[in-house]
């Protein structure tokens, strides 16, 4: 990108929905640090989906992503797939221009197991930021690793997400229990 651009992040296609949500949260957290990226909120995406008559649930189908991006004039979006295999987890992250059917670029990363998800998301975000043209100076001066900014524990991140979902569903007691468990797992 030559200048700051809007970017939407779709949910991740994965068999494990909790892991997919954790990965999206981590990637969004890492991309927020870029001076070249203005992230589109999930609420904005969900509103556009409702207006277009699409199911308001992530991950969106790719054709719905293109329609939402066109309707909201979002120039770029990212989507990914997380697959488990015999050698661990593999992430395929793809960047799309709303006017081009094929991906502009792809980033592939791997992790041995669930515990490696934060570091994998970190590597994918840095690779994407480099690929869109962010300078090494910018990356070195503005980047805080996900393990410093969030948690090293994928389990704690998943509990945090579940706690937020419980809170948003007006189930505060269940949310507090999940938050307390997340802090017990990772007190930092």
């Amino acid at each position: 990108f030559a200048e700051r651009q809007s970017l939407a992040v779709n949910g991740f296609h994965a068999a494990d929905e909790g892991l997919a949500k954790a990965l999206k949260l981590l990637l969004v957290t890492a991309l927020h640090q870029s001076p070249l990226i203005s992230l589109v909120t999930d609420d904005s995406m969900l509103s556009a989906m409702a207006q277009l008559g699409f199911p308001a649930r992530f991950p969106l189908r790719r054709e719905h992503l293109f329609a939402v991006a066109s309707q909201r004039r979002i120039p770029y979006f990212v989507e990914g797939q997380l697959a488990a295999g015999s050698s661990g987890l593999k992430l395929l992250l793809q960047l799309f221009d709303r006017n081009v059917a094929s991906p502009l670029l792809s980033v592939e990363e791997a992790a041995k197991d669930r515990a490696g998800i934060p570091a994998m998301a970190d590597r994918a975000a840095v690779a994407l930021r480099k690929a869109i043209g962010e300078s090494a100076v910018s990356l070195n001066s503005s980047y805080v690793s996900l393990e410093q900014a969030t948690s090293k524990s994928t389990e704690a991140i998943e509990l945090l997400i579940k706690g937020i979902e419980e809170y948003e569903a007006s189930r505060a007691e269940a949310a507090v229990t999940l938050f307390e468990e997340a802090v017990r797992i990772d007190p930092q």
Side-chain angles (χ1 to χ4, degrees):
F1 301 166
E3 58 188 31
R4 191 169 176 88
Q5 294 288 337
S6 293
L7 175 75
V9 179
N10 191 17
F12 287 87
H13 302 279
D16 185 328
E17 186 176 332
L19 197 56
K21 287 180 180 180
L23 181 57
K24 180 179 178 179
L25 175 69
L26 289 165
L27 185 68
V28 165
T29 300
L31 293 176
H32 263 295
Q33 299 178 50
S34 175
L36 294 180
I37 297 172
S38 176
L39 289 169
V40 177
T41 66
D42 282 354
D43 287 342
S44 177
M45 295 290 289
L46 292 171
S47 172
M49 291 161 56
Q51 288 176 354
L52 293 169
F54 301 147
R57 179 170 162 70
F58 288 102
L60 284 74
R61 293 177 30 195
R62 188 171 297 158
E63 60 269 20
H64 294 173
L65 268 171
F66 278 104
V68 168
S70 292
Q71 192 238 23
R72 290 290 161 113
R73 294 191 166 95
I74 302 165
Y76 302 99
F77 61 86
V78 171
E79 74 168 355
Q81 294 181 343
L82 181 64
S86 60
S87 61
L89 299 167
K90 291 190 179 190
L91 170 65
L92 172 63
L93 190 65
Q94 295 180 309
L95 174 69
F96 288 87
D97 178 312
R98 75 170 184 237
N99 298 311
V100 181
S102 57
L104 296 176
L105 65 94
S106 297
V107 172
E108 293 185 36
E109 288 294 338
K112 284 194 271 186
D113 54 30
R114 295 172 70 89
I117 292 288
M120 180 175 67
D122 223 354
R123 292 189 307 272
V126 169
L128 181 61
R129 289 173 66 182
K130 285 179 181 177
I132 65 169
E134 190 166 338
S135 72
V137 171
S138 175
L139 280 165
N140 290 334
S141 67
S142 69
Y143 194 68
V144 176
S145 76
L146 287 171
E147 289 184 351
Q148 290 176 298
T150 60
S151 174
K152 294 179 183 179
S153 169
T154 304
E155 184 180 2
I157 294 166
E158 287 179 289
L159 288 167
L160 172 69
I161 292 167
K162 288 178 185 174
I164 292 168
E165 290 171 346
E166 290 294 321
Y167 180 79
E168 289 174 345
S170 299
R171 295 188 289 265
E173 287 182 34
V176 168
T177 301
L178 291 164
F179 294 147
E180 289 172 344
E181 181 65 14
V183 170
R184 186 192 64 71
I185 292 168
D186 186 356
Q188 297 193 5

